[in-house]
Amino acid sequence: MPKKTIILGIESSCDDTSAAVLEDGYILSNVMASQDVHRQYGGVIPELASRAHQQNIVPCVSEALRRADMKMSDVDAIAFTRGPGLLGSLLVGTSFAKGLSISSGKPLVEVNHLQGHILSHFIKEYGKENRSPSFPFLALLVSGGHTQIVKVNDYLSFELLGHTIDDAVGEAFDKCAKLLGLGYPGGPVIDKLAKEGNPDAMRFAKPNIPGLDYSFSGIKTSLLYYLRAELEKDPDFIEKNKADICASFMKDLIDILMKKLILAAKQTGIRQIAIGGGVSANSALRKRIVEEGEKRGWETFIPEIKFTTDNAAMIAIVGHYKYLQGLTSSLDVAPISRAAEYNG
Ligand code: KG4
Ligand code: ZN
């Protein structure tokens, strides 16, 4: 029997430190350490994030190897997130991966974090059905830092069809939560509160951007002005209407996302539709994609919740396909913080 490909993945782009081991694309372990320290500040503090990564990375990697029952000598390659993300955070993962590569003699494979979110649909688990999209498919990538529609032609061939020209949709969720005093990260709290509210109680300004691009700064401002005006009339407005505001704002955000996704599907004729990234954990978005899919004859792919947030299994799966194609990185590889500058 041919030897199985073993990839160790390391993720440290934002505020989650994670390490995973994959065997021919099957998960053997996926260990995560998230950082609660940012909650009290209402957002990720880069300096604190890098410090926490430094503390977490060694225990995470050893635990991932231990759970997988593997030693470094069993590993074929070390896949790590090169970017995009917070530079200080990325530096911790990159430096650690390099050190490990030198000490173990195993090759390095750099991974684009966004491709990780997209390819998370190809991570396999023993004993599960493991559905994955066929090529080409459309991926709606929605996270705290990015909002994109990507045409995926093959494991490592991506075409950006549209992206946000200002804020990411996750930022809109987080900003709304901040205005309502709900803490950080905002998405999960809004999602929960929205379940008790009326999604048609109020409407906010929708963007009018041509083509497949997105914009979320206008709707954020629209919410801000709306709340200001209402609070002048009634200082308890937010307290009394929290659930309705959440439900309505969330519906508008999802409408904006769906409008361009539907357009992209029409323009390309592609009916394999996948979502990924932190915001793909949103219950209403997950429901809408399935409903639209049934209506429009799409085959839809919704990641399990555990693969929506940043995790190293998604980095390892990209590493797996890159390694199979011989795409390893040299030891002088440096992190790249911005997506626009990183197409690898
Ligand atoms: O992909 P991710 O974990 O980190 C980035 O790469 O940015 O995404 C984090 C984002 C945050 O903005 C968070 O509020 C949002 O995902 N999020 C959600 C939900 N869970 C997380 N947004 C809406 N509904 C959710 N259930
Ligand atoms: Zn992410």
Side-chain angles (χ1 to χ4, degrees):
M1 221 167 56
K3 184 197 172 305
K4 290 181 172 167
T5 302
I6 309 289
I7 305 290
L8 169 68
I10 298 173
E11 154 66 24
S12 75
S13 66
C14 189
D15 59 341
D16 295 297
T17 323
S18 177
V21 178
L22 295 193
E23 171 186 74
D24 275 351
Y26 282 86
I27 287 202
L28 295 183
S29 63
N30 191 20
V31 178
M32 260 169 279
S34 29
Q35 308 177 358
D36 271 341
V37 58
H38 307 287
R39 211 171 276 273
Q40 58 185 303
Y41 299 100
V44 177
I45 309 292
E47 198 42 53
L48 295 179
S50 350
R51 212 177 299 159
H53 283 305
Q54 281 170 8
Q55 284 165 356
N56 295 340
I57 199 152
V58 174
C60 260
V61 171
S62 347
E63 184 60 14
L65 288 167
R66 195 192 65 77
R67 285 192 201 168
D69 199 17
M70 293 277 163
K71 298 181 295 299
M72 269 319 288
S73 53
D74 302 314
V75 169
D76 290 294
I78 304 160
F80 69 98
T81 307
R82 185 181 176 196
L86 299 169
L87 201 56
S89 291
L90 291 166
L91 260 171
V92 178
T94 308
S95 312
F96 184 82
K98 282 186 196 177
L100 200 54
S101 169
I102 293 168
S103 63
S104 64
K106 304 294 179 178
L108 279 177
V109 181
E110 66 184 75
V111 172
N112 180 322
H113 180 86
L114 304 180
Q115 295 178 1
H117 276 302
I118 294 171
L119 291 200
S120 59
H121 292 280
F122 295 92
I123 302 168
K124 289 181 279 190
E125 289 181 273
Y126 285 115
K128 291 218 176 155
E129 191 194 350
N130 298 316
R131 276 176 77 241
S132 52
S134 48
F135 302 111
F137 68 92
L138 292 183
L140 175 67
L141 173 62
V142 279
S143 75
H146 303 91
T147 305
Q148 303 184 336
I149 298 176
V150 181
K151 180 169 171 242
V152 188
N153 296 314
D154 205 341
Y155 294 112
L156 301 174
S157 167
F158 305 87
E159 253 176 84
L160 183 64
L161 301 185
H163 68 126
T164 178
I165 57 165
D166 41 53
D167 302 324
V169 63
E171 279 177 278
F173 272 103
D174 295 336
K175 176 75 181 183
C176 172
K178 204 166 184 177
L179 290 172
L180 301 181
L182 299 175
Y184 176 88
V189 202
I190 293 179
D191 195 356
K192 199 163 157 227
L193 271 170
K195 294 200 168 96
E196 289 142 37
N198 172 10
D200 298 309
M202 46 202 85
R203 283 282 70 86
F204 303 99
K206 296 257 179 59
N208 191 11
I209 307 287
L212 297 175
D213 285 338
Y214 287 111
S215 163
F216 291 97
S217 70
I219 189 167
K220 256 172 46 182
T221 317
S222 161
L223 172 68
L224 174 71
Y225 288 166
Y226 174 78
L227 292 178
R228 260 192 211 157
E230 294 297 333
L231 284 170
E232 258 178 41
K233 290 183 254 168
D234 175 4
D236 292 330
F237 180 79
I238 290 184
E239 219 30 67
K240 290 178 190 159
N241 297 279
K242 227 175 232 178
D244 284 352
I245 302 169
C246 288
S248 302
F249 190 69
M250 191 163 100
K251 178 167 189 283
D252 280 350
L253 292 181
I254 291 167
D255 282 348
I256 296 171
L257 288 173
M258 292 310 297
K259 189 177 161 191
K260 296 297 172 91
L261 183 61
I262 291 166
L263 184 61
K266 277 192 187 146
Q267 284 182 357
T268 57
I270 294 174
R271 291 180 175 191
Q272 296 273 307
I273 311 284
I275 54 172
V279 181
S280 68
N282 185 269
S283 59
L285 176 62
R286 295 166 82 88
K287 201 164 149 247
R288 260 302 273 293
I289 294 267
V290 173
E291 284 167 5
E292 292 290 344
E294 279 166 6
K295 207 159 76 191
R296 295 168 194 279
W298 296 347
E299 197 180 345
T300 50
F301 298 86
I302 319 274
E304 274 186 53
I305 296 286
K306 65 180 176 204
F307 296 132
T308 61
T309 38
D310 294 345
N311 67 87
M314 72 184 200
I315 301 307
I317 194 74
V318 181
H320 174 83
Y321 290 112
K322 287 186 94 165
Y323 175 72
L324 292 183
Q325 293 197 14
L327 297 171
T328 55
S329 307
S330 72
L331 276 170
D332 54 13
V333 61
I336 297 177
S337 60
R338 288 165 55 85
E341 287 154 14
Y342 188 22
N343 298 312

